Amino acid sequence: MPVKLAKAHRPVRYGTAFLTLREDGHVLLRKRPEAGLLGGMLEVPSGEWGDDWLPLDQALAAQPVKTEWWSVPGVVSHTFTHFKLELMVLRAIVPVNASLTFWATPDQCRWVARRDLGGAALPSVMRKVIAHALKEH
């Protein structure tokens, strides 16, 4: 009879994702750097992933738009090969003419209509973030 091996311990990383919804129903997405995890795919703008939760004032340093953010209850969890990721999701609704911050890396950002999100090159972890942020609580 085969012996079930214990699951490998995966370290946990923590981060904050910013779901930015424009008044016309578009969602802000950003292209990830080509090198590294999820290279070249789209993401909901997020801060760095670290070994612990950042205090909210520090997490907000990575906000893509200077606005009022609401914390979406709960966290989004996703398991990668070598680590588990826990994301706190902040959500905001902004005007159509909202300006992006320097930290958003504006040249890598685009606004995508909610109806077109299904065809976007989004990794499953970011699809989870969007679903979590857009569901009614």
Side-chain angles (χ1 to χ4, degrees):
M1 182 167 179
V3 175
K4 186 171 182 173
L5 299 174
K7 287 188 177 180
H9 173 71
R10 287 189 178 95
V12 181
R13 311 284 310 275
Y14 302 90
T16 303
F18 298 91
L19 191 286
T20 314
L21 183 62
R22 222 167 48 181
E23 288 174 334
D24 64 358
H26 287 63
V27 173
L28 182 65
L29 298 179
R30 175 172 65 192
K31 185 177 179 190
R32 291 183 57 84
E34 292 296 332
L37 188 66
L38 309 175
M41 296 186 83
L42 295 174
E43 69 174 349
V44 171
S46 308
E48 295 291 320
W49 301 343
D51 295 329
D52 206 347
W53 294 109
L54 284 178
L56 188 57
D57 60 330
Q58 290 180 37
L60 285 172
Q63 66 185 312
V65 175
K66 292 255 186 230
T67 190
E68 188 173 343
W69 294 92
W70 288 275
S71 181
V72 179
V75 297
V76 172
S77 296
H78 187 79
T79 302
F80 292 97
T81 307
H82 299 296
F83 68 95
K84 182 176 177 185
L85 178 63
E86 303 249 317
L87 290 172
M88 171 176 64
V89 180
L90 299 178
R91 180 173 115 165
I93 299 174
V94 300
V96 172
N97 63 351
S99 297
L100 300 181
T101 66
F102 169 80
W103 302 109
T105 321
D107 61 328
Q108 297 299 314
C109 289
R110 69 182 85 154
W111 293 98
V112 177
R114 283 177 71 167
R115 69 179 173 277
D116 296 333
L117 289 171
L122 286 159
S124 58
V125 62
M126 291 301 156
R127 291 193 184 281
K128 288 182 188 178
V129 166
I130 292 168
H132 179 73
L134 295 181
K135 74 180 178 191
E136 297 306 316
H137 290 277

